[in-house]
Amino acid sequence: MPNSDDIILHHYDASPFSDKVRGLLGLKGLSWKSVVTPNMMPKPDLIPLTGGYRRAPVMQIGADIYCDSQVIMAEIERRFPEPETDLGSSWPVNLWADRIWFQHSVAIIFGSLGDQVAPAFIADREKLSGRPFDVKAMAAAAEPAKAQWRAQAGWIESALASANDAFLCGDTAGIADPSAHMNIWFLASVFPDMASELLQGFDRLNEWRASIKHIGQGDRLEISGADAIRVASEAEPVEAIPEHTEAGTICRMIGKKVITSADDYGRDPIAGELIASTNQRSVIMRTDPATGTATITFPKVDFVVTEEQ
Ligand SMILES: N[C@@H](CCC(=O)N[C@@H](CS)C(=O)NCC(=O)O)C(=O)O
């Protein structure tokens, strides 16, 4: 039975945002518990923990829940500071890789898969994004997206070459590395030959890629979703409550009922009481019949918090 100190990652193997977090767990040399979630709704073992947030990954430690890979990585760094991985411009690199480069990865992969994408998956992603998941349009966009994708891979090549470092923020690996790597891993996991072609001639990048693979993903042990819920129900939320350091609008909502939602896609509203706000995080508290009281932490960048009307 897992315990309340364990890192529990709710994820699935093919999820690139999860691969990024798994890579950081590897960098830190950590042991962690794995709950494999479905890649589409319904997710009955996840929603009671998150209050409605459905995306992957989600990290749970006891009754403290962290939504979005950005704040998950920040929390891993806070709890396990050695080796230091919050280096240089890691966070902006992470956001670029998540938002801009990732969109080109999606266009190439789903455009090239075309008719092979299952109708149920398409319907789920249309609901997630609120827009058509148009594989024909993606197929038309795939070729130009390849040029943009390779151009962005070229930024990694030139960053490594000009600094003459093994990793993006120096000679040790940091958050920027698994973050940028997720796009390469995603494309290579579906279309390995295409990835090799698009990375041709990028010698520094290919060495970097091999180093990240060599670092691995820590020590993973599978547990059930039901066990993870049990851990939350038996634990008190303690770790997630940072000091309020943030002046301004959001602090006026401390103690109030708020709605939190992602600002890009998967904007499902998550209701709770805002209990803490810092420059980088918002923390809400909510009570669920299955888990009892839990905190849920979101990054400031990527999410909006508004007072419940
Ligand atoms: N900004 C989020 C994005 C997460 C995300 O979009 N994850 C994908 C999987 S890699 C997802 O949840 N897709 C819908 C699903 O799997 O249900 C993060 O960094 O964690």
Side-chain angles (χ1 to χ4, degrees):
M1 174 71 185
N3 68 51
S4 62
D5 295 335
D6 286 334
I7 298 172
I8 302 176
L9 192 68
H10 299 257
H11 70 133
Y12 51 91
D13 287 304
S15 156
F17 288 87
S18 304
D19 198 67
K20 179 209 300 194
V21 172
R22 295 188 295 251
L24 182 63
L25 291 165
L27 266 179
K28 297 277 186 185
L30 291 168
S31 298
W32 52 283
K33 305 286 187 288
S34 155
V35 177
V36 172
T37 59
N39 69 352
M40 61 179 107
M41 293 296 270
K43 305 192 185 193
D45 289 335
L46 182 67
I47 299 302
L49 290 162
T50 62
Y53 184 80
R54 60 156 286 186
R55 302 190 303 189
V58 165
M59 182 172 77
Q60 169 191 356
I61 301 183
D64 296 307
I65 313 296
Y66 301 86
C67 294
D68 194 288
S69 59
Q70 186 196 136
V71 85
I72 293 174
M73 293 194 298
E75 184 62 13
I76 293 172
E77 179 74 10
R78 190 185 76 78
R79 293 192 192 223
F80 307 97
E82 299 296 329
E84 189 184 4
T85 58
D86 185 353
L87 306 168
S89 302
S90 281
W91 296 116
V93 169
N94 174 54
L95 200 65
W96 150 68
D98 273 18
R99 292 249 170 150
I100 300 179
W101 200 13
F102 184 65
Q103 289 313 322
H104 296 115
S105 303
V106 167
I108 297 171
I109 292 170
F110 290 101
S112 306
L113 285 171
D115 292 343
Q116 293 171 59
V117 185
F121 185 87
I122 293 179
D124 179 83
R125 292 311 193 255
E126 292 192 330
K127 205 157 173 225
L128 178 76
S129 66
R131 287 197 308 270
F133 192 91
D134 186 344
V135 282
K136 284 206 170 63
M138 287 189 211
E143 277 311 306
K146 282 184 193 172
Q148 296 214 37
W149 195 93
R150 179 168 158 84
Q152 289 169 88
W155 290 343
I156 295 181
E157 176 69 14
S158 61
L160 295 169
S162 68
N164 199 21
D165 277 328
F167 296 99
L168 286 173
C169 296
D171 55 11
T172 58
I175 282 163
D177 298 293
S179 298
H181 180 260
M182 82 165 194
N183 284 290
I184 295 168
W185 173 84
F186 190 27
L187 183 59
S189 67
V190 189
F191 293 114
D193 293 345
M194 193 192 294
S196 301
E197 193 189 324
L198 292 180
L199 296 172
Q200 215 162 27
F202 291 162
D203 297 340
R204 300 296 299 243
L205 183 151
N206 283 316
E207 279 167 31
W208 168 81
R209 207 180 149 192
S211 307
I212 291 176
K213 190 167 178 201
H214 180 72
I215 289 166
Q217 304 202 325
D219 186 8
R220 165 176 169 174
L221 188 75
E222 303 304 322
I223 63 165
S224 69
D227 277 348
I229 288 182
R230 200 167 317 125
V231 168
S233 70
E234 287 170 5
E236 292 298 321
V238 279
E239 282 289 349
I241 308 173
E243 277 178 38
H244 314 310
T245 55
E246 189 72 338
T249 330
I250 191 148
C251 262
R252 281 187 238 119
M253 293 190 280
I254 295 287
K256 302 249 169 74
K257 286 186 172 172
V258 295
I259 300 290
T260 304
S261 56
D263 69 2
D264 47 0
Y265 54 88
R267 299 182 183 195
D268 301 298
I270 302 116
E273 178 193 333
L274 186 70
I275 58 164
S277 169
T278 72
N279 181 36
Q280 295 296 331
R281 299 171 178 210
S282 310
V283 186
I284 64 167
M285 191 173 259
R286 65 178 287 280
T287 301
D288 186 280
T291 62
T293 300
T295 65
I296 313 179
T297 301
F298 301 93
K300 280 272 164 64
V301 178
D302 265 354
F303 285 81
V304 286
V305 182
T306 52
E307 205 170 325
E308 193 176 337
Q309 296 305 316

